């Protein structure tokens, strides 16, 4: 147990960037507390908006909040009215100038946060946990993931004794740093207690140096063409060698 670590924290600075990007200085603790308040407020306020992650960047006078969501229309509202309301509410909360950016997740099946929350909501609606998990795994693999693992813990089906069950498809190389693995822990609040839902999603491997800007992982969710191109490039480099060998044999 002592050797396990969070797959996201384990890859920070290697293939993943940070969710908060700013220099704290003497106000480091206050800014961390403020980031926590902003995130908790937005998650409660936009609980039905399909929020995946909230990125916060700061300059001297401006706080930029980037929300990644599968349902941007709900957050933006008609003519951007909801975003303007959010700005005013966050200004009151932080007493600073706020800028809000909305980023759409085009493939929610490849996002661990959204998959875990979807399973948790289905369990809360009294759908069988096995059925919910198998449907989530099938949907994720259909969208091109290399692997997915789901673990559910608690009083499954209202059993007297809590237990854990794991479901897996494909490969999840947790100790490979270049493996792009998304991870999240969700909670389902049922009549017989809380159930924990852990989701690991393997999206591919990152070759070469990767930019660690906050949205770089989200931008590659829409299509993994960059990684395939890199692999294809390696194959293309190998082809001339085979042709040269064939030409030498013919001569």
């Amino acid at each position: 147990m002592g050797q396990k670590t969070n797959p996201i924290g384990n890859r920070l600075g290697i293939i993943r960037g940070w969710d908060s990007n700013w220099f704290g200085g003497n106000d480091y603790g206050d800014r961390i507390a403020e980031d926590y308040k902003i995130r908790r407020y937005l998650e409660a306020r936009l609980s039905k908006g399909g929020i995946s992650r909230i990125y916060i960047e700061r300059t001297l006078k401006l706080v930029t909040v980037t929300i990644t969501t599968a349902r941007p229309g709900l957050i933006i509202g008609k003519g951007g009215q909801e975003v303007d309301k959010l700005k005013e509410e966050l200004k009151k909360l932080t007493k600073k100038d706020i800028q809000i950016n909305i980023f759409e997740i085009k493939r929610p099946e490849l996002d661990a946060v959204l998959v875990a929350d979807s399973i948790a909501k289905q369990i809360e609606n009294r759908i069988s946990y096995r059925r919910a998990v198998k449907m989530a795994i099938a949907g994720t693999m259909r969208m091109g993931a290399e692997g997915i693992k789901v673990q559910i813990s608690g009083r499954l089906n209202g059993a007297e004794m809590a237990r854990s069950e794991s479901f897996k498809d494909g490969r999840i190389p947790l100790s490979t740093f270049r493996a792009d693995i998304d991870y999240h822990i969700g909670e389902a609040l049922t009549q017989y207690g809380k159930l924990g839902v852990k989701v690991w999603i393997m999206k591919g491997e990152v070759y070469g140096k990767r930019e660690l800007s906050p949205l770089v992982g989200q931008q590659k969710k829409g299509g993994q063409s960059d990684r395939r191109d890199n692999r294809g490039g390696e194959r293309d480099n190998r082809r001339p060698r085979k042709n040269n060998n064939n030409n030498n044999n013919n001569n």
Side-chain angles (χ1 to χ4, degrees), residues 18-50:
W18 286 259
D19 289 355
S20 293
N21 291 277
W22 40 263
F23 177 73
N26 296 328
D27 300 328
Y28 184 79
D30 295 336
R31 293 187 178 186
I32 283 183
E34 195 172 84
D35 282 7
Y36 180 81
K37 280 183 188 176
I38 291 172
R39 287 196 171 95
R40 295 294 83 81
Y41 179 78
L42 289 175
E43 284 170 5
R45 171 83 160 71
L46 306 170
S47 58
K48 296 181 180 178

PDB file of all heavy atoms in Angstrom, residues 18-50:
ATOM      1  N   TRP A  18       0.482  21.839 -14.179  1.00  0.00           N
ATOM      2  CA  TRP A  18      -0.217  22.082 -12.925  1.00  0.00           C
ATOM      3  C   TRP A  18      -1.574  22.742 -13.185  1.00  0.00           C
ATOM      4  O   TRP A  18      -1.752  23.465 -14.153  1.00  0.00           O
ATOM      5  CB  TRP A  18       0.626  22.979 -12.032  1.00  0.00           C
ATOM      6  CG  TRP A  18       1.809  22.292 -11.419  1.00  0.00           C
ATOM      7  CD1 TRP A  18       1.923  21.814 -10.148  1.00  0.00           C
ATOM      8  CD2 TRP A  18       3.067  22.001 -12.045  1.00  0.00           C
ATOM      9  NE1 TRP A  18       3.152  21.246  -9.945  1.00  0.00           N
ATOM     10  CE2 TRP A  18       3.880  21.337 -11.087  1.00  0.00           C
ATOM     11  CE3 TRP A  18       3.583  22.211 -13.333  1.00  0.00           C
ATOM     12  CZ2 TRP A  18       5.169  20.904 -11.360  1.00  0.00           C
ATOM     13  CZ3 TRP A  18       4.865  21.774 -13.607  1.00  0.00           C
ATOM     14  CH2 TRP A  18       5.639  21.126 -12.635  1.00  0.00           C
ATOM     15  N   ASP A  19      -2.527  22.515 -12.262  1.00  0.00           N
ATOM     16  CA  ASP A  19      -3.853  23.123 -12.390  1.00  0.00           C
ATOM     17  C   ASP A  19      -3.855  24.581 -11.948  1.00  0.00           C
ATOM     18  O   ASP A  19      -4.736  25.341 -12.329  1.00  0.00           O
ATOM     19  CB  ASP A  19      -4.882  22.344 -11.556  1.00  0.00           C
ATOM     20  CG  ASP A  19      -5.192  20.980 -12.162  1.00  0.00           C
ATOM     21  OD1 ASP A  19      -4.675  20.706 -13.257  1.00  0.00           O
ATOM     22  OD2 ASP A  19      -5.948  20.211 -11.544  1.00  0.00           O
ATOM     23  N   SER A  20      -2.892  24.973 -11.115  1.00  0.00           N
ATOM     24  CA  SER A  20      -2.742  26.376 -10.709  1.00  0.00           C
ATOM     25  C   SER A  20      -1.378  26.857 -11.171  1.00  0.00           C
ATOM     26  O   SER A  20      -0.369  26.192 -10.909  1.00  0.00           O
ATOM     27  CB  SER A  20      -2.856  26.518  -9.190  1.00  0.00           C
ATOM     28  OG  SER A  20      -4.163  26.225  -8.755  1.00  0.00           O
ATOM     29  N   ASN A  21      -1.341  28.000 -11.869  1.00  0.00           N
ATOM     30  CA  ASN A  21      -0.092  28.533 -12.413  1.00  0.00           C
ATOM     31  C   ASN A  21       0.088  29.974 -11.963  1.00  0.00           C
ATOM     32  O   ASN A  21      -0.552  30.882 -12.498  1.00  0.00           O
ATOM     33  CB  ASN A  21      -0.100  28.459 -13.948  1.00  0.00           C
ATOM     34  CG  ASN A  21      -0.033  27.023 -14.445  1.00  0.00           C
ATOM     35  OD1 ASN A  21       1.036  26.446 -14.541  1.00  0.00           O
ATOM     36  ND2 ASN A  21      -1.181  26.447 -14.743  1.00  0.00           N
ATOM     37  N   TRP A  22       0.931  30.180 -10.951  1.00  0.00           N
ATOM     38  CA  TRP A  22       1.227  31.523 -10.462  1.00  0.00           C
ATOM     39  C   TRP A  22       2.410  31.453  -9.505  1.00  0.00           C
ATOM     40  O   TRP A  22       2.791  30.384  -9.038  1.00  0.00           O
ATOM     41  CB  TRP A  22       0.018  32.156  -9.755  1.00  0.00           C
ATOM     42  CG  TRP A  22      -0.794  31.245  -8.885  1.00  0.00           C
ATOM     43  CD1 TRP A  22      -1.945  30.605  -9.239  1.00  0.00           C
ATOM     44  CD2 TRP A  22      -0.538  30.861  -7.535  1.00  0.00           C
ATOM     45  NE1 TRP A  22      -2.426  29.858  -8.187  1.00  0.00           N
ATOM     46  CE2 TRP A  22      -1.583  29.998  -7.126  1.00  0.00           C
ATOM     47  CE3 TRP A  22       0.470  31.161  -6.614  1.00  0.00           C
ATOM     48  CZ2 TRP A  22      -1.645  29.421  -5.862  1.00  0.00           C
ATOM     49  CZ3 TRP A  22       0.406  30.597  -5.357  1.00  0.00           C
ATOM     50  CH2 TRP A  22      -0.642  29.743  -4.984  1.00  0.00           C
ATOM     51  N   PHE A  23       2.989  32.622  -9.224  1.00  0.00           N
ATOM     52  CA  PHE A  23       4.082  32.717  -8.257  1.00  0.00           C
ATOM     53  C   PHE A  23       3.512  33.294  -6.965  1.00  0.00           C
ATOM     54  O   PHE A  23       2.930  34.373  -6.957  1.00  0.00           O
ATOM     55  CB  PHE A  23       5.203  33.611  -8.786  1.00  0.00           C
ATOM     56  CG  PHE A  23       6.319  33.804  -7.789  1.00  0.00           C
ATOM     57  CD1 PHE A  23       7.193  32.781  -7.507  1.00  0.00           C
ATOM     58  CD2 PHE A  23       6.453  35.012  -7.116  1.00  0.00           C
ATOM     59  CE1 PHE A  23       8.207  32.951  -6.581  1.00  0.00           C
ATOM     60  CE2 PHE A  23       7.465  35.194  -6.193  1.00  0.00           C
ATOM     61  CZ  PHE A  23       8.340  34.156  -5.924  1.00  0.00           C
ATOM     62  N   GLY A  24       3.672  32.563  -5.855  1.00  0.00           N
ATOM     63  CA  GLY A  24       3.021  32.949  -4.610  1.00  0.00           C
ATOM     64  C   GLY A  24       3.738  34.023  -3.826  1.00  0.00           C
ATOM     65  O   GLY A  24       3.136  34.974  -3.354  1.00  0.00           O
ATOM     66  N   GLY A  25       5.045  33.874  -3.653  1.00  0.00           N
ATOM     67  CA  GLY A  25       5.770  34.821  -2.806  1.00  0.00           C
ATOM     68  C   GLY A  25       5.327  34.712  -1.351  1.00  0.00           C
ATOM     69  O   GLY A  25       5.075  33.625  -0.834  1.00  0.00           O
ATOM     70  N   ASN A  26       5.173  35.851  -0.687  1.00  0.00           N
ATOM     71  CA  ASN A  26       4.765  35.850   0.726  1.00  0.00           C
ATOM     72  C   ASN A  26       3.291  35.498   0.919  1.00  0.00           C
ATOM     73  O   ASN A  26       2.873  35.131   2.009  1.00  0.00           O
ATOM     74  CB  ASN A  26       5.039  37.220   1.356  1.00  0.00           C
ATOM     75  CG  ASN A  26       6.527  37.543   1.385  1.00  0.00           C
ATOM     76  OD1 ASN A  26       7.347  36.631   1.512  1.00  0.00           O
ATOM     77  ND2 ASN A  26       6.880  38.810   1.260  1.00  0.00           N
ATOM     78  N   ASP A  27       2.475  35.644  -0.152  1.00  0.00           N
ATOM     79  CA  ASP A  27       1.039  35.383  -0.046  1.00  0.00           C
ATOM     80  C   ASP A  27       0.673  33.974  -0.515  1.00  0.00           C
ATOM     81  O   ASP A  27      -0.466  33.717  -0.904  1.00  0.00           O
ATOM     82  CB  ASP A  27       0.254  36.407  -0.896  1.00  0.00           C
ATOM     83  CG  ASP A  27       0.510  37.830  -0.436  1.00  0.00           C
ATOM     84  OD1 ASP A  27       0.736  38.014   0.769  1.00  0.00           O
ATOM     85  OD2 ASP A  27       0.478  38.737  -1.276  1.00  0.00           O
ATOM     86  N   TYR A  28       1.641  33.081  -0.487  1.00  0.00           N
ATOM     87  CA  TYR A  28       1.437  31.732  -1.035  1.00  0.00           C
ATOM     88  C   TYR A  28       0.248  31.025  -0.387  1.00  0.00           C
ATOM     89  O   TYR A  28      -0.638  30.500  -1.066  1.00  0.00           O
ATOM     90  CB  TYR A  28       2.712  30.914  -0.825  1.00  0.00           C
ATOM     91  CG  TYR A  28       2.678  29.537  -1.433  1.00  0.00           C
ATOM     92  CD1 TYR A  28       2.898  29.350  -2.795  1.00  0.00           C
ATOM     93  CD2 TYR A  28       2.416  28.415  -0.661  1.00  0.00           C
ATOM     94  CE1 TYR A  28       2.867  28.088  -3.362  1.00  0.00           C
ATOM     95  CE2 TYR A  28       2.380  27.149  -1.215  1.00  0.00           C
ATOM     96  CZ  TYR A  28       2.609  26.998  -2.561  1.00  0.00           C
ATOM     97  OH  TYR A  28       2.572  25.744  -3.124  1.00  0.00           O
ATOM     98  N   GLY A  29       0.193  31.008   0.940  1.00  0.00           N
ATOM     99  CA  GLY A  29      -0.883  30.315   1.654  1.00  0.00           C
ATOM    100  C   GLY A  29      -2.250  30.901   1.355  1.00  0.00           C
ATOM    101  O   GLY A  29      -3.231  30.176   1.161  1.00  0.00           O
ATOM    102  N   ASP A  30      -2.327  32.252   1.304  1.00  0.00           N
ATOM    103  CA  ASP A  30      -3.609  32.907   1.026  1.00  0.00           C
ATOM    104  C   ASP A  30      -4.114  32.564  -0.368  1.00  0.00           C
ATOM    105  O   ASP A  30      -5.318  32.364  -0.574  1.00  0.00           O
ATOM    106  CB  ASP A  30      -3.470  34.426   1.169  1.00  0.00           C
ATOM    107  CG  ASP A  30      -3.149  34.831   2.602  1.00  0.00           C
ATOM    108  OD1 ASP A  30      -3.489  34.048   3.510  1.00  0.00           O
ATOM    109  OD2 ASP A  30      -2.559  35.904   2.799  1.00  0.00           O
ATOM    110  N   ARG A  31      -3.196  32.480  -1.315  1.00  0.00           N
ATOM    111  CA  ARG A  31      -3.600  32.184  -2.697  1.00  0.00           C
ATOM    112  C   ARG A  31      -4.057  30.737  -2.854  1.00  0.00           C
ATOM    113  O   ARG A  31      -4.994  30.457  -3.617  1.00  0.00           O
ATOM    114  CB  ARG A  31      -2.454  32.495  -3.656  1.00  0.00           C
ATOM    115  CG  ARG A  31      -2.151  33.981  -3.714  1.00  0.00           C
ATOM    116  CD  ARG A  31      -1.133  34.315  -4.770  1.00  0.00           C
ATOM    117  NE  ARG A  31      -0.913  35.759  -4.827  1.00  0.00           N
ATOM    118  CZ  ARG A  31      -0.159  36.362  -5.747  1.00  0.00           C
ATOM    119  NH1 ARG A  31       0.436  35.643  -6.668  1.00  0.00           N
ATOM    120  NH2 ARG A  31      -0.016  37.672  -5.745  1.00  0.00           N
ATOM    121  N   ILE A  32      -3.410  29.837  -2.152  1.00  0.00           N
ATOM    122  CA  ILE A  32      -3.855  28.434  -2.192  1.00  0.00           C
ATOM    123  C   ILE A  32      -5.271  28.327  -1.623  1.00  0.00           C
ATOM    124  O   ILE A  32      -6.141  27.647  -2.188  1.00  0.00           O
ATOM    125  CB  ILE A  32      -2.886  27.537  -1.389  1.00  0.00           C
ATOM    126  CG1 ILE A  32      -1.616  27.288  -2.199  1.00  0.00           C
ATOM    127  CG2 ILE A  32      -3.534  26.191  -1.060  1.00  0.00           C
ATOM    128  CD1 ILE A  32      -0.639  26.368  -1.532  1.00  0.00           C
ATOM    129  N   ALA A  33      -5.515  29.007  -0.494  1.00  0.00           N
ATOM    130  CA  ALA A  33      -6.851  28.980   0.115  1.00  0.00           C
ATOM    131  C   ALA A  33      -7.885  29.601  -0.829  1.00  0.00           C
ATOM    132  O   ALA A  33      -9.015  29.103  -0.937  1.00  0.00           O
ATOM    133  CB  ALA A  33      -6.828  29.726   1.447  1.00  0.00           C
ATOM    134  N   GLU A  34      -7.482  30.667  -1.526  1.00  0.00           N
ATOM    135  CA  GLU A  34      -8.403  31.316  -2.462  1.00  0.00           C
ATOM    136  C   GLU A  34      -8.709  30.404  -3.648  1.00  0.00           C
ATOM    137  O   GLU A  34      -9.870  30.320  -4.090  1.00  0.00           O
ATOM    138  CB  GLU A  34      -7.786  32.628  -2.949  1.00  0.00           C
ATOM    139  CG  GLU A  34      -8.765  33.553  -3.637  1.00  0.00           C
ATOM    140  CD  GLU A  34      -8.145  34.905  -3.914  1.00  0.00           C
ATOM    141  OE1 GLU A  34      -7.466  35.043  -4.949  1.00  0.00           O
ATOM    142  OE2 GLU A  34      -8.315  35.818  -3.082  1.00  0.00           O
ATOM    143  N   ASP A  35      -7.693  29.713  -4.166  1.00  0.00           N
ATOM    144  CA  ASP A  35      -7.915  28.743  -5.252  1.00  0.00           C
ATOM    145  C   ASP A  35      -8.899  27.662  -4.812  1.00  0.00           C
ATOM    146  O   ASP A  35      -9.792  27.259  -5.574  1.00  0.00           O
ATOM    147  CB  ASP A  35      -6.589  28.087  -5.656  1.00  0.00           C
ATOM    148  CG  ASP A  35      -5.751  28.990  -6.544  1.00  0.00           C
ATOM    149  OD1 ASP A  35      -6.145  30.155  -6.726  1.00  0.00           O
ATOM    150  OD2 ASP A  35      -4.699  28.533  -7.035  1.00  0.00           O
ATOM    151  N   TYR A  36      -8.738  27.178  -3.585  1.00  0.00           N
ATOM    152  CA  TYR A  36      -9.630  26.143  -3.062  1.00  0.00           C
ATOM    153  C   TYR A  36     -11.069  26.657  -2.996  1.00  0.00           C
ATOM    154  O   TYR A  36     -12.003  25.957  -3.396  1.00  0.00           O
ATOM    155  CB  TYR A  36      -9.143  25.727  -1.673  1.00  0.00           C
ATOM    156  CG  TYR A  36      -9.996  24.653  -1.032  1.00  0.00           C
ATOM    157  CD1 TYR A  36      -9.823  23.318  -1.371  1.00  0.00           C
ATOM    158  CD2 TYR A  36     -10.965  24.978  -0.103  1.00  0.00           C
ATOM    159  CE1 TYR A  36     -10.609  22.330  -0.793  1.00  0.00           C
ATOM    160  CE2 TYR A  36     -11.757  24.001   0.483  1.00  0.00           C
ATOM    161  CZ  TYR A  36     -11.569  22.675   0.137  1.00  0.00           C
ATOM    162  OH  TYR A  36     -12.357  21.710   0.703  1.00  0.00           O
ATOM    163  N   LYS A  37     -11.244  27.889  -2.529  1.00  0.00           N
ATOM    164  CA  LYS A  37     -12.587  28.479  -2.450  1.00  0.00           C
ATOM    165  C   LYS A  37     -13.217  28.596  -3.832  1.00  0.00           C
ATOM    166  O   LYS A  37     -14.394  28.282  -4.029  1.00  0.00           O
ATOM    167  CB  LYS A  37     -12.508  29.879  -1.821  1.00  0.00           C
ATOM    168  CG  LYS A  37     -12.408  29.897  -0.328  1.00  0.00           C
ATOM    169  CD  LYS A  37     -12.410  31.345   0.143  1.00  0.00           C
ATOM    170  CE  LYS A  37     -12.114  31.426   1.631  1.00  0.00           C
ATOM    171  NZ  LYS A  37     -12.014  32.827   2.075  1.00  0.00           N
ATOM    172  N   ILE A  38     -12.429  29.063  -4.811  1.00  0.00           N
ATOM    173  CA  ILE A  38     -12.945  29.231  -6.177  1.00  0.00           C
ATOM    174  C   ILE A  38     -13.405  27.881  -6.737  1.00  0.00           C
ATOM    175  O   ILE A  38     -14.497  27.758  -7.302  1.00  0.00           O
ATOM    176  CB  ILE A  38     -11.872  29.863  -7.090  1.00  0.00           C
ATOM    177  CG1 ILE A  38     -11.632  31.325  -6.689  1.00  0.00           C
ATOM    178  CG2 ILE A  38     -12.281  29.780  -8.559  1.00  0.00           C
ATOM    179  CD1 ILE A  38     -10.452  31.967  -7.398  1.00  0.00           C
ATOM    180  N   ARG A  39     -12.581  26.863  -6.562  1.00  0.00           N
ATOM    181  CA  ARG A  39     -12.918  25.548  -7.116  1.00  0.00           C
ATOM    182  C   ARG A  39     -14.160  24.962  -6.442  1.00  0.00           C
ATOM    183  O   ARG A  39     -15.061  24.449  -7.111  1.00  0.00           O
ATOM    184  CB  ARG A  39     -11.729  24.594  -6.966  1.00  0.00           C
ATOM    185  CG  ARG A  39     -10.595  24.916  -7.928  1.00  0.00           C
ATOM    186  CD  ARG A  39      -9.620  23.748  -8.043  1.00  0.00           C
ATOM    187  NE  ARG A  39      -8.681  24.011  -9.109  1.00  0.00           N
ATOM    188  CZ  ARG A  39      -7.480  24.558  -8.949  1.00  0.00           C
ATOM    189  NH1 ARG A  39      -7.079  24.908  -7.744  1.00  0.00           N
ATOM    190  NH2 ARG A  39      -6.695  24.777  -9.984  1.00  0.00           N
ATOM    191  N   ARG A  40     -14.206  25.019  -5.108  1.00  0.00           N
ATOM    192  CA  ARG A  40     -15.374  24.464  -4.395  1.00  0.00           C
ATOM    193  C   ARG A  40     -16.644  25.225  -4.764  1.00  0.00           C
ATOM    194  O   ARG A  40     -17.714  24.618  -4.931  1.00  0.00           O
ATOM    195  CB  ARG A  40     -15.165  24.527  -2.878  1.00  0.00           C
ATOM    196  CG  ARG A  40     -14.044  23.670  -2.331  1.00  0.00           C
ATOM    197  CD  ARG A  40     -14.296  22.164  -2.474  1.00  0.00           C
ATOM    198  NE  ARG A  40     -13.939  21.638  -3.805  1.00  0.00           N
ATOM    199  CZ  ARG A  40     -12.707  21.329  -4.162  1.00  0.00           C
ATOM    200  NH1 ARG A  40     -11.713  21.482  -3.318  1.00  0.00           N
ATOM    201  NH2 ARG A  40     -12.457  20.860  -5.373  1.00  0.00           N
ATOM    202  N   TYR A  41     -16.548  26.535  -4.909  1.00  0.00           N
ATOM    203  CA  TYR A  41     -17.724  27.336  -5.256  1.00  0.00           C
ATOM    204  C   TYR A  41     -18.238  26.978  -6.651  1.00  0.00           C
ATOM    205  O   TYR A  41     -19.431  26.766  -6.853  1.00  0.00           O
ATOM    206  CB  TYR A  41     -17.387  28.823  -5.190  1.00  0.00           C
ATOM    207  CG  TYR A  41     -18.546  29.713  -5.570  1.00  0.00           C
ATOM    208  CD1 TYR A  41     -19.576  29.967  -4.669  1.00  0.00           C
ATOM    209  CD2 TYR A  41     -18.637  30.273  -6.843  1.00  0.00           C
ATOM    210  CE1 TYR A  41     -20.664  30.754  -5.022  1.00  0.00           C
ATOM    211  CE2 TYR A  41     -19.711  31.055  -7.209  1.00  0.00           C
ATOM    212  CZ  TYR A  41     -20.722  31.303  -6.287  1.00  0.00           C
ATOM    213  OH  TYR A  41     -21.792  32.070  -6.644  1.00  0.00           O
ATOM    214  N   LEU A  42     -17.302  26.906  -7.630  1.00  0.00           N
ATOM    215  CA  LEU A  42     -17.714  26.599  -9.002  1.00  0.00           C
ATOM    216  C   LEU A  42     -18.283  25.184  -9.118  1.00  0.00           C
ATOM    217  O   LEU A  42     -19.246  24.947  -9.846  1.00  0.00           O
ATOM    218  CB  LEU A  42     -16.530  26.778  -9.953  1.00  0.00           C
ATOM    219  CG  LEU A  42     -16.088  28.220 -10.211  1.00  0.00           C
ATOM    220  CD1 LEU A  42     -14.837  28.248 -11.073  1.00  0.00           C
ATOM    221  CD2 LEU A  42     -17.196  29.023 -10.882  1.00  0.00           C
ATOM    222  N   GLU A  43     -17.690  24.231  -8.400  1.00  0.00           N
ATOM    223  CA  GLU A  43     -18.192  22.857  -8.471  1.00  0.00           C
ATOM    224  C   GLU A  43     -19.606  22.754  -7.893  1.00  0.00           C
ATOM    225  O   GLU A  43     -20.437  22.005  -8.398  1.00  0.00           O
ATOM    226  CB  GLU A  43     -17.234  21.920  -7.714  1.00  0.00           C
ATOM    227  CG  GLU A  43     -15.955  21.632  -8.502  1.00  0.00           C
ATOM    228  CD  GLU A  43     -14.905  20.918  -7.669  1.00  0.00           C
ATOM    229  OE1 GLU A  43     -15.214  20.564  -6.500  1.00  0.00           O
ATOM    230  OE2 GLU A  43     -13.792  20.718  -8.164  1.00  0.00           O
ATOM    231  N   ALA A  44     -19.875  23.522  -6.813  1.00  0.00           N
ATOM    232  CA  ALA A  44     -21.217  23.514  -6.234  1.00  0.00           C
ATOM    233  C   ALA A  44     -22.204  24.289  -7.106  1.00  0.00           C
ATOM    234  O   ALA A  44     -23.339  23.858  -7.332  1.00  0.00           O
ATOM    235  CB  ALA A  44     -21.175  24.107  -4.830  1.00  0.00           C
ATOM    236  N   ARG A  45     -21.760  25.419  -7.638  1.00  0.00           N
ATOM    237  CA  ARG A  45     -22.624  26.293  -8.441  1.00  0.00           C
ATOM    238  C   ARG A  45     -22.973  25.666  -9.787  1.00  0.00           C
ATOM    239  O   ARG A  45     -24.060  25.823 -10.312  1.00  0.00           O
ATOM    240  CB  ARG A  45     -21.899  27.625  -8.641  1.00  0.00           C
ATOM    241  CG  ARG A  45     -22.522  28.585  -9.621  1.00  0.00           C
ATOM    242  CD  ARG A  45     -23.637  29.396  -8.996  1.00  0.00           C
ATOM    243  NE  ARG A  45     -23.914  30.592  -9.757  1.00  0.00           N
ATOM    244  CZ  ARG A  45     -24.489  30.626 -10.947  1.00  0.00           C
ATOM    245  NH1 ARG A  45     -24.836  29.511 -11.562  1.00  0.00           N
ATOM    246  NH2 ARG A  45     -24.735  31.788 -11.542  1.00  0.00           N
ATOM    247  N   LEU A  46     -21.996  24.929 -10.370  1.00  0.00           N
ATOM    248  CA  LEU A  46     -22.185  24.340 -11.702  1.00  0.00           C
ATOM    249  C   LEU A  46     -22.175  22.816 -11.623  1.00  0.00           C
ATOM    250  O   LEU A  46     -21.544  22.148 -12.436  1.00  0.00           O
ATOM    251  CB  LEU A  46     -21.077  24.828 -12.645  1.00  0.00           C
ATOM    252  CG  LEU A  46     -20.907  26.348 -12.754  1.00  0.00           C
ATOM    253  CD1 LEU A  46     -19.638  26.692 -13.503  1.00  0.00           C
ATOM    254  CD2 LEU A  46     -22.110  26.982 -13.426  1.00  0.00           C
ATOM    255  N   SER A  47     -22.869  22.283 -10.625  1.00  0.00           N
ATOM    256  CA  SER A  47     -22.826  20.835 -10.400  1.00  0.00           C
ATOM    257  C   SER A  47     -23.396  20.037 -11.575  1.00  0.00           C
ATOM    258  O   SER A  47     -23.012  18.891 -11.798  1.00  0.00           O
ATOM    259  CB  SER A  47     -23.593  20.487  -9.118  1.00  0.00           C
ATOM    260  OG  SER A  47     -24.935  20.936  -9.219  1.00  0.00           O
ATOM    261  N   LYS A  48     -24.303  20.641 -12.362  1.00  0.00           N
ATOM    262  CA  LYS A  48     -24.898  19.942 -13.506  1.00  0.00           C
ATOM    263  C   LYS A  48     -24.229  20.314 -14.830  1.00  0.00           C
ATOM    264  O   LYS A  48     -24.710  19.947 -15.890  1.00  0.00           O
ATOM    265  CB  LYS A  48     -26.393  20.266 -13.585  1.00  0.00           C
ATOM    266  CG  LYS A  48     -27.181  19.751 -12.390  1.00  0.00           C
ATOM    267  CD  LYS A  48     -28.655  20.078 -12.525  1.00  0.00           C
ATOM    268  CE  LYS A  48     -29.437  19.566 -11.316  1.00  0.00           C
ATOM    269  NZ  LYS A  48     -30.874  19.917 -11.393  1.00  0.00           N
ATOM    270  N   GLY A  49     -23.132  21.045 -14.757  1.00  0.00           N
ATOM    271  CA  GLY A  49     -22.485  21.537 -15.980  1.00  0.00           C
ATOM    272  C   GLY A  49     -21.452  20.608 -16.572  1.00  0.00           C
ATOM    273  O   GLY A  49     -20.811  20.951 -17.559  1.00  0.00           O
ATOM    274  N   GLY A  50     -21.248  19.420 -15.980  1.00  0.00           N
ATOM    275  CA  GLY A  50     -20.272  18.472 -16.528  1.00  0.00           C
ATOM    276  C   GLY A  50     -18.852  19.003 -16.472  1.00  0.00           C
ATOM    277  O   GLY A  50     -18.098  18.885 -17.434  1.00  0.00           O
TER     278      GLY A  50
END
